Amino acid sequence: MKRKWKVISLMLTVMMFAFIAAGCSQGTGGGSSEVSVGIVLPTKDEPRWVQDEQRFKDALKGTEYTTEILFSQGSSAKEKENVETLLNKGIDVLIICPQDGDAAAAAVEAAKKDGVKVISYDRLITNTDAIDYYVTFDSLAVGAAQAQYLADNATGKDVPLYLYAGAASDNNAFLFFQGAWSVLQPKIADGTFKIANSSEAEALKETADLSRDQLSKIIGQVTTNWDPNEAKNKAQTHLTAASDDMKGDVAILAPNDGTARSIADVFGTDSAVSSYLVTGQDAEKASIQYVIDEKQSMTVFKDVRTLVKDAMGMAIDILEDKDPETTGSYDNGMIEVKAKQTDVIVVDKDNVKKELIDSEYYKADEFTGL
């Protein structure tokens, strides 16, 4: 009899732990996962992604769903590890901004095998059929807007044009440059601009539509890898090698705000450079102060609030078995990926208050000289 009660007691204990474990696995997402939406962002070392982190958290407030956000810190291996960590936590949707579009394919293929829906965020994951949606700004429009600003504000003929690009591992860098080239090439052909720092671009100056391979040759020569220090070193090297006729009043295609500030600092201290126009992207706080101080000419404002809202709205639609709204598609080298695009806005000194302060993206007291 005593042994019988021990067996019954053991069975009750096992049942109790099984019940507790089942209860813990329910989480707060209304499903069977502890975390509803897993998010992987490239790095904590750029203000843009830190701001995104908080906005993603805010976007789920008031819903029944949960999220966990991990950073890859510039490493594709860490990115894959982050995805595996989130898969082990039972996510239903993965939002990922890849460090390297090709390398991220392996990570999202693991998600697909687990039945997880994948949203490529801001940057396109390439050469895989394991992504379901892409949420992005119109990257071609970003590059075209940067180039149009240079074309509209350059004066005279034979204006030295310095070209810089993002990372060759980032598909967006190709789209930005392709968009810029569509505007710049006719202006190079008609003599408005002369290329100052790329023999590959000079060799292709009569070619309006560049192939991926041709784009790759130019970008390989003028890449900054999205690194301000690399941008600074390249700018110093280019100016040191430049002849007098490649200085004076110059135009500079800089791919984003971090590189724009570094490049501007270099050109601004060269006594042979009379003036410079320099583009940017992301409306980073430090660059808005540069725009106000006329050290950076413009930035392309991509309202990340809208992009985050679109991405999280898409994730919630998936969780609720709805079809997310899309506005187009992108070829990732293997499939046409359904996409939702967000518009971009050119910001310079004339409209910085209207677009960034009045819209409450930033506060006026964060800047001087407004």
Side-chain angles (χ1 to χ4, degrees):
M1 180 65 73
K2 192 172 182 181
R3 183 177 177 183
K4 182 178 179 181
W5 279 111
K6 282 184 177 179
V7 172
I8 292 170
S9 176
L10 179 61
M11 289 176 65
L12 288 170
T13 301
V14 170
M15 288 173 67
M16 180 180 71
F17 277 111
F19 177 78
I20 291 170
C24 288
S25 69
Q26 293 301 305
T28 60
S32 60
S33 61
E34 294 179 13
V35 177
S36 311
V37 183
I39 300 172
V40 179
L41 298 175
T43 178
K44 269 194 167 181
D45 295 335
E46 292 181 25
R48 157 73 196 281
W49 306 115
V50 177
Q51 291 169 353
D52 276 16
E53 177 185 25
Q54 188 56 50
R55 289 175 181 132
F56 272 118
K57 290 176 180 177
D58 292 343
L60 273 190
K61 284 180 181 176
T63 75
E64 60 181 336
Y65 302 110
T66 58
T67 189
E68 182 164 340
I69 302 171
L70 301 176
F71 290 87
S72 301
Q73 291 307 105
S75 165
S76 292
K78 179 66 176 174
E79 181 176 79
K80 190 170 186 295
E81 180 185 313
N82 284 340
V83 172
E84 289 167 355
T85 296
L86 293 168
L87 292 177
N88 288 334
K89 295 192 176 185
I91 60 171
D92 295 309
V93 180
L94 172 66
I95 297 174
I96 175 171
C97 180
Q99 174 64 31
D100 179 314
D102 278 346
V108 297
E109 282 160 10
K112 184 179 180 181
K113 286 178 184 176
D114 273 16
V116 171
K117 293 290 186 181
V118 177
I119 300 170
S120 192
Y121 175 73
D122 196 42
R123 299 173 181 171
L124 184 61
I125 299 170
T126 48
N127 296 312
T128 179
D129 63 357
I131 59 174
D132 299 281
Y133 298 100
Y134 180 32
V135 176
T136 183
F137 295 101
D138 187 339
S139 298
L140 289 170
V142 170
Q146 291 174 327
Q148 193 62 56
Y149 191 92
L150 296 179
D152 289 345
N153 289 278
T155 56
K157 290 283 188 179
D158 290 330
V159 176
L161 174 64
Y162 289 81
L163 301 170
Y164 297 95
S169 61
D170 180 358
N171 188 63
N172 271 1
F174 283 80
L175 295 174
F176 296 146
F177 198 90
Q178 182 183 346
W181 187 259
S182 70
V183 175
L184 292 174
Q185 189 275 330
K187 291 296 182 180
I188 295 167
D190 74 10
T192 300
F193 295 118
K194 55 183 180 180
I195 299 167
N197 66 327
S198 171
S199 58
E200 294 290 350
E202 177 66 22
L204 292 164
K205 67 182 181 181
E206 301 298 331
T207 306
D209 298 316
L210 299 177
S211 68
R212 181 80 177 196
D213 183 60
Q214 289 169 328
L215 284 166
S216 184
K217 286 179 179 177
I218 299 174
I219 290 171
Q221 204 169 45
V222 298
T223 179
T224 63
N225 283 313
W226 300 124
D227 182 342
N229 286 326
E230 186 164 339
K232 177 182 177 182
N233 292 336
K234 266 198 168 65
Q236 287 173 333
T237 299
H238 292 156
L239 276 182
T240 299
S243 56
D244 289 344
D245 66 332
M246 288 298 181
K247 295 189 178 182
D249 299 320
V250 305
I252 307 160
L253 180 75
N256 74 341
D257 283 349
T259 58
R261 294 193 302 274
S262 290
I263 294 167
D265 288 345
V266 173
F267 277 78
T269 55
D270 189 312
S271 60
V273 174
S274 315
S275 69
Y276 62 86
L277 296 166
V278 60
T279 63
Q281 172 185 183
D282 291 331
E284 289 183 5
K285 194 180 296 183
S287 273
I288 297 309
Q289 188 63 61
Y290 264 51
V291 168
I292 294 167
D293 295 340
E294 299 184 347
K295 292 195 291 184
Q296 181 174 326
S297 309
M298 61 83 81
T299 185
V300 177
F301 174 38
K302 304 184 304 185
D303 195 337
V304 179
R305 295 171 298 185
T306 304
L307 197 69
V308 167
K309 182 181 176 183
D310 286 346
M312 200 57 89
M314 189 174 275
I316 291 171
D317 280 346
I318 292 168
L319 292 168
E320 296 180 351
D321 295 322
K322 298 176 184 175
D323 290 328
E325 176 191 352
T326 56
T327 56
S329 65
Y330 282 75
D331 183 356
N332 82 336
M334 186 172 287
I335 59 171
E336 285 287 327
V337 184
K338 293 178 182 178
K340 186 166 186 182
Q341 294 176 311
T342 301
D343 292 334
V344 299
I345 300 167
V346 170
V347 172
D348 63 10
K349 191 173 182 181
D350 292 337
N351 69 342
V352 63
K353 184 177 182 300
K354 174 180 176 291
E355 298 296 348
L356 295 176
I357 306 304
D358 295 349
S359 71
E360 299 182 349
Y361 193 81
Y362 290 126
K363 296 178 181 177
D365 63 8
E366 294 178 281
F367 305 100
T368 60
L370 266 176

